[in-house]
Amino acid sequence: MGQAQATVSLPEPTVISRILRGLAGNRTGTIGFVLVVLILAAAIFASWISQYDPAAIMTGPRMAPPSSEHWLGTDNIGRDLFSRVLAGGRVAMLVAAASLGAALSLGLVLGLVAGLGPRWLDNLLLLLFDALRSFPTIVFGLAVVTLVGPSLFTVILVVAITSVPIYARIIRTQAQSLRNAEFVMAERAMGAGLPRILFVHVLPNVLGPLLILASMDVPLVIATEAGLSFLGMGVRPPTPSWGVILNDGYNFIRNSPWPVIAGSVPIVLVTLGFTFMGEALRDIFDPRLQKAN
Amino acid sequence: MHSYNTTRGNGHVPLMRIEELSVDFATARGPIHALRHISLEVAAGRILGLVGESGCGKSSLAYSLIGLLASNAHITHGVIRLGDDDLAHLPAGRWRALRGKRIAMIFQDPMTSLNPVRTIGQQMMDIQYRERITRAEKRKLAVDFLAQVRIPDPEARLDSYPHELSGGMRQRVCIAMALLTRPDLLIADEPTTALDATLEVQIIHLLRDLQQQFGCSVIFVSHHLGTVAELCDDVAVMYAGEVVEQGSVDEIFRQPAHPYTQALLECDPGSIREATRILPTIPGSLPDLRQVPSGCIFQDRCPHVFERCRREHPGFYSGERTQLVRCYRVAGEGEITS
Amino acid sequence: ATMPLGSRIWAQSGQVLRLSAYADIDALDPAFYQNGYNVDVMNCIYTKLIRYKAGREWDWELESAEEIEQVDDTHIRFKLKQGLQFSGDYGEITAEDVKFSFERAISHDSPVKSDWGPLDHVEVTGRYEGVIVLKEPFQPLWTIALPYGTGHIISKKAVLDATDDGGNFGMTPPVFSGAYVLAEWKPNQYVRLTRNPAWTGPAPGFEEIRILPMDDTKTAERAYEAGDLDFTQITLSSLAQYRQDPPANTTIKEYPSLYYVWLGMNLDNPALGDKNLRQAIQYAINVKQVVDAAYFGEAEPATGLIAPGLPGHRDHSAIPVEGDLDKARAFLQAAGGPPSQPLTIDTLNASEWTTMAQIIQAQLSRIGLPTQINVQDSGSFWTLGMESEGDRWKNMQLVLNRFSMLPDPYYATSWFVSDQVGIWNWERFSSPEFDKLHQKALSETDSGERAAIYRQMQDIMEQSGAYRFLTHEGSPVMYHDSLEPALRPDGRPLLPRFSGSV
Amino acid sequence: MIYYATQRFLLSLLIVIVAISLLTLMLHVVPGDPATMILGPRATPELIEKTRVAMGLDQPLPVQIVTFFGRILHGDLGTDVFTGRAVSDIVFEQLPYTLVLIAASILWSSILGIVLGCYSALRAGTWLDTLSGILSVGTISIPAFVMALYAVLIFAVSLGWLPAIGAGEGFFDEAIHLILPAFAIGISWVGYIARMVRASMLEVMGAPHVRMARSFGLTEARIVRAYILRIAVQPAVTLLGTGVAHLFSAAVFVEVIFARPGIGALIVSSVNERNYPIILGAVLVTTAIIVLATLLSDLIVALLDPRQREAL
Amino acid sequence: MSLLEVKHLEVRYRRLSRVKAALQREEATFPAVADVSFTLEAGRTLGLVGESGSGKSTVAKSLIGLQSASGSIRYDGREIGSASHSEWQRLRREISMMWQDPIGSLSPRLSIASLVTEPLKIQGRKCSPDDADRLLSMVGLSTDLGSRYPHQLSGGQARRVGVARALALDPKLLIADEPTAGLDMSVQGEILNLLNEIQSRTGVAILVITHNLNLVRHVTDEVAVMYLGRFVEQGPTDAIFRHPRHPYTEALLSANPSPHPDERHGRIELSGEMPSPVWRPAGCEFHGRCPHARPDCADIIPGWNVEGERGHACRYPL
Ligand SMILES: Nc1ncnc2c1ncn2[C@@H]1O[C@H](COP(=O)(O)OP(=O)(O)OP(=O)(O)O)[C@@H](O)[C@H]1O
Ligand SMILES: Nc1ncnc2c1ncn2[C@@H]1O[C@H](COP(=O)(O)OP(=O)(O)OP(=O)(O)O)[C@@H](O)[C@H]1O
Ligand SMILES: [Mg+2]
Ligand SMILES: [Mg+2]
């Protein structure tokens, strides 16, 4: 209390300046933040940066090594890898945003229902989450892909569905602890109804940590996409995605490692960026927030 | 500030002497000057109480005496003498030789101070790692000390995990562990705040008995005046990172000289004898420890403030009695430092 | 490269031939075999009357038959060599066993009974002699039945001992009649074949053969390079690299394959109802470019269904291999421009297929025809045009397809007759003339005449506008210099006849 | 304890049942037909129908599920219609290879991950920490199949030190064949575990009881070993327990690339073939193992932490 | 008629799941509050004192309908134990609560201004920015504080926000659960003075819950001392302070002695620890720790002895 009293006379920092200060004090956090900004910028400005249409075939020789015309070389049908990697970044970010967004919203609803709803519903949902989780992911992916047909949408669907149980579980735990939190009790004592408690008091408190967790799952999404692509079930060709680039290049890895390198380096960078940024944000906002099951 | 001597010829042999100790905490919004110019003496075989309201720096002072300040803390000034060592500038390697041997500490929260995954016995034997005795002997010692702190059936308790004990028992285990190392100086940082009122009494009495038995010096940190009065021989009153008054318990609680001490005593509901509907308070709020005002630290809340208080930082003065007071109102009666 | 430890251990046990198969065996009963990879093993453990000749020309030679001849259109007389032994105590191979072996497929309703076509029965005329009696003439018997899977001979007694009714014995052969016996099968790991002590023919070249299943030919290439294999197929996409920079002591050989790849169009899909549109597509596709891109210039454009070397192969197709953009545009014009919705191209999910699909997509977009590629896993893909699988066939439009082949043109055309519409004829191409010709060719004994019929049939297919033939791929192999493999003209190994050292 | 055990067991059983039912449901909407895939193009419609009946596919869905579980009660996973072999034989023949692979991957990656995580936490904020962070997070992201591929190309093809394919025969040989696949699968877990251990180490290092241990002058090494690590590895153990599902997925890729036998490859090929009895049998067994692994990780955590034991 | 009249209140918490309890043949629930009766008049203050876990907050929660309880709770003459949802909605305008954790009871993402006006909004009243300022200044807080967030307040400030919220609807009954927990002594005084002042202005009845008996002395008219979910002593504050009859009351009273050397009485040391409400001792529940316990205390459950205005549950009162 005294601590707080001692600081009241200073202006309180805004969230943004708190983030920036926190990042400044954290080396990996800074690295992550810079990487994420670069990746997002590259994805947004992809078409301005690259000179080639990522889908245009035979813009150069096949499987050419990096050169001044083709910064990362070309693929097996002579497409410019650099522009494909950039465009792939856009796809990756789209998939990540859409699937995590979907997983979050669905996880939020189910988690809140499980956490705040009646006991039997909680048990039922938990059972469902655990059952979903205990499939080998890839079997699930295979089934969905064969069902819906491979496309961007399918990848989004697979990632969304496999992540829902994870988010829902986290939200459930949070909701349960919030249900007994004193400020929720206080609101109830003042006569606040469930919708008000949910939307005004509970949601804002679970959303922040959840967004941080979600940002740390961006690499997971991309890895899932790459895995599906490896099994030939990624996005619809000729859409460039890093997984597709990897998968195409994988066949020629013996003599021409470029496509695989071009496909995997961005994945590594995204992972580094989002993981480090997420970890730093987590430390800044809540050091205790761990990705528990 | 000049160094000075607080020994007032009261005949007590000092065990530890803190001189002009200042500690800063680095934070994102600039350094906090959490401790400033602390000068204190811990007499051998006596209990020194450290009182003051929340956030005044009691724990920071205690931790700096055992070298466990947070990683963002930095001793900017001063010395802490213990024997031939200066603890303020002790290399990291030397600390281990002191901790758990000459100095031991009891922490505020007994619920979290014990390792949850090791049994009481394991933890008590761990800390005897220096002794060249057999495991059985170590175990025996542990049982003895658990018995000392009046834990029923100590033999069986050795194999319990902390979560199987109640809060009071855990705090007694902590005390047993601290005493087991037979320290010269025992630091107890609010060892009873997490406990219930009736339990607190038990722990305080236990501490007093054991201190008398082992004869070590104790620094007892508390914000509870009644408890300090009951347990301690000497007391130092802290306010916003400074010691504002120090001396023997009898004197200070009988005739507090610093306006802050006076106000604090008035507020203590334990000391208000006659029923009243209006409780006394100290108006105003704490100063910001990032920008410490010049002059007296208590100036904003002091009913007796005068011009000099705002200008100059007062040194320690002693009135006609033996206690030392950082207040110009006592200055006329004999200044000790300039 | 130095030999890894694992292969060194194997090598110590003598002459072991190690090679890969693209799938693990799943049937060892010749009357019930389902796929070619099983036949590679059967070749080793059973004998048959005649066998394919190794070499570049499709032909057969005698194996366990001393003589065999076509007596008339429906009768084939054979005489077994004497003294051929079954393994175990099942004694000599007799004509009775041949009869049993051949008739099983029909009597037990095997999935491959069609290999025997109109087989009526086998007449046993002596201990070693018999006559194969057909209900009607059936030329392919000589090319796909007798020297291939269903032609293998097993012991009647052994099979009846092992099964109640002489039906499918699955994965546990009760008897061996070939140069090798199945010593061990570790599913998904290897098939180990060792010499058959009862074998009286010429000793096979190797003490032991190990066949390692690997789905992915690229894996096999790496395994070969790492020294884990002595012989392997390689992919066309690696061929150029290997030719340029072959692994040490390695021979690389290219063979044509029998596969045929084409782009089919669903005639019953409303969007493709206009023949002009289909022709626009046919002409817009530059087959050379498609094949070059997908196979790295290592495969030749196809002129039809039937691969070079087989009777009925066409020298060139009616539509030029390079296509003709002007004509394509004209046809498109005639069709009233591109359809309102992009057309879909369905394809398998392997690299060559998606590459081809993307090139075709690019080519079609040059005449202003937008398309969308649907990649499918094999399970979904192979039921795409089947009416038994719901309504998916109705939505199918363009489909990039590949069928495998047996060395007889009949096998290729049989999938495109009217009866097959909604089964394997996904284009839903139906021509009475085609059906008639198909039937006619079955009994045509004159090979020149027969070839002409098949050529005519391919012309009809092409004219329907439902097909654009792409390639027959190719079947390159690589092996240690010291090995002398025996290969069919399409590069498939004839294992018992491998020789040399490894 | 008994109550907990039965509750846990029943729950696991339920999870498996729900999971398998979900799977059956999914399989049924997926297009494709086993008879077409396996019997080949020459199969007659009657034969296809016969096969469907033999697989029980003509029955309504709930009946199929009930029959399936009914048979399982008798320890029978069914028969593969095509090879005529018992599904349990097929599955249990492949299972050990995957289990050994997963166990080896978990073992080496958790040991290395814990060491790396510890090291990072103890040197938090230094360049070495940053470096090990970049390394471990970097490895998380490299897809297992890319890792596997490069491992083969470098160590088997170019250097020829290790075999490129197969599972080997005999203990020593099998161990050697395990090295590259286990490396490829484990490497990303090194990163996961290292990051997790680092984070929880940092948290535990700030706990009051650690400060108390320090106040007694215990050596740093002892504090880390006896006081911090036992608590700090718990989230990693839980992670591994739930991560077994992902390991099974990674095994799929690696088994294909190394032409290794294993249940992952079996599942993929039977999914491609739509061989329902094998899919169901294999997924049932994997799901059961995954559920079991979660249980095991909970038990290990309970072993490490007496407070968790209380909950049992 | 009293404003609040509680009779034989009992609250049971679930300890084991039904299945587990049945299997282990144990009781699934335990009483956290047992047989609690008291009355509270308008304009008066009752102190509820007892150590951690003695059931004080549980009593408070059942009074405001957040915890179902058996027994009778009559507010303004009406039984509210079985009140319907809409009845509670209305009741909560008149009964308000200050929570134990000053900062934790404020929704962390809302600004102070919107937090103080929460009760108005919940009850569907129109509220202007002036309302927030009015409420803040009512409890002596600067209006600039309105734009801050709970974690940016000191404990004392957060308490005041709690007071402002509790009083926003002019309640007739205010329940203050540990209104001074975790505060420095001078701040404690401020909060209690504030409550006092408001009571004298509005005539609200206050139930103060605390574990510090010395604190309630100055602000309450009556006290009830709880031990293990039961009242052990109850009566006018003055009388109880002058002469505690129950040994536990005596021990609690001595727990916060004066620091002044001349006024030190020494403290009464109890032995043992507080038992858990799950495993209640037989006989007098305090006998294990009682310095004055006699042998039969272990067997005989003491009844409630009424002595004029006060009462206690000790067979051998001091
Ligand atoms: N690690 C730290 N970083 C920054 N500031 C700190 C840190 N530790 C303590 N402080 C600040 O230093 C001052 C003194 O804190 P300290 O914990 O020593 O007070 P205290 O008297 O022990 O209080 P309490 O009675 O609440 O325990 C406070 O203002 C506090 O905010
Ligand atoms: N929701 C609950 N479920 C089960 N037991 C509970 C619950 N809430 C409280 N208890 C138990 O009921 C008893 C009384 O709790 P209560 O919170 O009323 O005590 P209290 O007097 O307010 O204590 P404190 O001073 O610590 O706030 C305690 O033993 C507590 O452990
Ligand atoms: Mg402190
Ligand atoms: Mg409470």
Side-chain angles (χ1 to χ4, degrees), chain E residues 149-172:
Chain E
Y149 288 88
H151 69 272
Q152 298 169 334
L153 297 188
S154 72
Q157 288 169 328
R159 276 282 174 225
R160 284 166 187 266
V161 174
V163 177
R165 281 214 304 182
L167 298 174
L169 293 171
D170 295 319
K172 294 200 179 135

Side-chain angles (χ1 to χ4, degrees), chain B residues 173-292:
Chain B
V173 170
C174 291
I175 295 173
M177 287 173 72
L179 292 173
L180 186 55
T181 63
R182 301 200 165 256
D184 298 330
L185 175 62
L186 177 64
I187 303 168
D189 184 10
E190 311 209 30
T192 56
T193 22
L195 302 178
D196 284 334
T198 52
L199 271 178
E200 178 178 20
V201 185
Q202 288 174 322
I203 299 292
I204 297 294
H205 288 182
L206 179 69
L207 256 182
R208 192 186 50 211
D209 294 351
L210 292 172
Q211 187 270 339
Q212 272 159 15
Q213 186 183 337
F214 289 91
C216 57
S217 305
V218 176
I219 295 179
F220 182 81
V221 179
S222 177
H223 57 252
H224 204 154
L225 301 178
T227 307
V228 168
E230 185 176 2
L231 178 68
C232 300
D233 304 309
D234 302 315
V235 64
V237 181
M238 290 183 71
Y239 178 76
E242 290 180 15
V243 173
V244 293
E245 184 162 6
Q246 53 178 304
S248 75
V249 162
D250 267 4
E251 258 173 349
I252 289 187
F253 288 153
R254 201 183 299 274
Q255 282 185 306
H258 197 282
Y260 174 67
T261 319
Q262 290 166 353
L264 198 61
L265 282 168
E266 271 175 37
C267 294
D268 189 333
S271 62
I272 307 165
R273 285 289 123 221
E274 59 286 345
T276 162
R277 282 252 148 177
I278 305 297
L279 293 164
T281 59
I282 311 174
S285 63
L286 279 167
D288 178 11
L289 292 187
R290 263 168 263 268
Q291 293 140 14
V292 183

Side-chain angles (χ1 to χ4, degrees), chain C residues 148-165:
Chain C
Y148 198 54
T150 48
H152 286 106
I153 300 165
I154 47 175
S155 158
K156 178 178 183 179
K157 181 170 185 320
V159 174
L160 288 175
D161 284 354
T163 63
D164 318 326
D165 57 351

